Amino acid sequence: MNKPLILVVEDDGTVRNLITTTLKSNDYRFLTAPDGESAIGAASTRQPDIVLLDLGLPDMDGVEVISRIRSWSQMPIIVISARSEDADKISALDAGADDYLTKPFSVAELLARLRVTQRRLAALESKNGESVFRNGSLTIDYGAGCAYMNDVPLKLTPTEYKLLCLLAKDVGKVLTHTYLTDKIWGSSWESDMASLRVHMATLRKKIETDPDTQYIQTHIGIGYRMLKI
Ligand code: CA
């Protein structure tokens, strides 16, 4: 297999060097772009496997880079944002970013995020055309509309089942509160956010029966992610 090609979009030379040095020593290939325009150009001409995107760019907002890439490609995008850009991080996820890293981040964290994204890609490719989803002891039979834990049918409410399917469809990816409430209720009022928390809690109680296996991870203030077991 070819080494994955990573597009690094970052205007800060120091951060860019840290990232590219890490990539080089961990068997990745990379390209760099210092601004949004050149990032969009490189994404379309070089078709990288993953984009690492800083949100604060000199010529345009990183969120705009995501929207423009998403108009023609589903390539994975991992956002890199400073803590002060928390609101932007959420709009970046809503615009279609797959994951995020908060500055300052460690090399280990960067590598972990890249691995998660690669696993998600591999899972997506292998499940193409399949109507059954498997992750650890969890099985979802989309055709039958049933979910199982260790082959025992789960007694889920329609909302819990819908939530589980949404998380499974994007396994490994953080889904924002707004994205989830919008998909389920078509709105994202404060009351929907509260309902989401309740349904998520009951869903987790039903599927996380083994205390050693966590299926759903909470990202406080942002959303939820189904972990690839
Ligand atoms: Ca920047």
Side-chain angles (χ1 to χ4, degrees):
M1 212 179 99
N2 278 338
K3 294 178 185 178
L5 178 64
I6 316 292
L7 170 60
V8 182
V9 187
E10 171 65 76
D11 58 318
D12 181 331
T14 313
V15 180
R16 202 167 57 222
N17 282 341
L18 167 76
I19 297 174
T20 55
T21 307
T22 306
L23 292 175
K24 211 185 308 183
S25 54
N26 284 277
D27 246 13
Y28 289 98
R29 292 175 302 146
F30 62 87
L31 293 162
T32 60
D35 56 49
E37 273 313 330
S38 54
I40 293 165
S44 73
T45 54
R46 303 290 302 276
Q47 297 280 325
D49 295 295
I50 298 175
V51 180
L52 281 173
L53 174 69
D54 175 30
L55 284 186
L57 295 171
D59 60 337
M60 69 176 82
D61 197 314
V63 176
E64 192 187 334
V65 176
I66 300 169
S67 309
R68 288 187 38 196
I69 291 179
R70 279 291 169 266
S71 66
W72 50 268
S73 168
Q74 286 306 311
M75 66 178 66
I77 301 173
I78 302 175
V79 155
I80 300 172
S81 74
R83 236 171 239 296
S84 58
E85 298 164 334
D86 246 5
D88 297 339
K89 192 154 73 184
I90 294 174
S91 32
L93 289 166
D94 279 333
D98 294 85
D99 205 347
Y100 64 88
L101 267 171
T102 303
K103 284 182 194 171
F105 55 84
S106 68
V107 162
E109 196 183 354
L110 167 65
L111 291 170
R113 289 283 172 257
L114 287 171
R115 281 194 303 271
V116 164
T117 305
Q118 283 175 278
R119 275 204 301 268
R120 192 175 71 82
L121 260 187
L124 270 182
E125 277 161 14
S126 70
K127 106 181 168 205
N128 260 350
E130 264 184 48
S131 64
V132 173
F133 168 85
R134 286 193 182 83
N135 186 20
S137 307
L138 173 71
T139 306
I140 305 174
D141 182 338
Y142 293 114
C146 289
Y148 305 84
M149 188 53 74
N150 292 312
D151 297 323
V152 178
L154 289 166
K155 293 193 176 72
L156 302 180
T157 64
T159 304
E160 289 164 357
Y161 179 73
K162 221 163 156 183
L163 265 179
L164 184 66
C165 290
L166 285 169
L167 291 164
K169 191 175 137 268
D170 277 316
V171 63
K173 177 171 169 174
V174 182
L175 301 179
T176 63
H177 297 131
T178 312
Y179 175 87
L180 290 167
T181 54
D182 206 56
K183 285 278 177 196
I184 292 176
W185 296 293
S187 54
S188 41
W189 300 104
E190 199 43 55
S191 59
D192 297 325
M193 301 292 178
S195 308
L196 177 65
R197 274 194 294 277
V198 172
H199 289 287
M200 194 62 83
T202 54
L203 171 64
R204 293 185 69 163
K205 218 173 193 167
K206 290 177 186 178
I207 67 170
E208 291 180 337
T209 46
D210 171 2
D212 295 331
T213 315
Q214 188 192 5
Y215 281 90
I216 297 171
Q217 192 180 53
T218 303
H219 288 243
I220 295 166
I222 300 199
Y224 301 92
R225 176 209 303 268
M226 182 184 283
L227 299 172
K228 185 96 188 88
I229 308 295

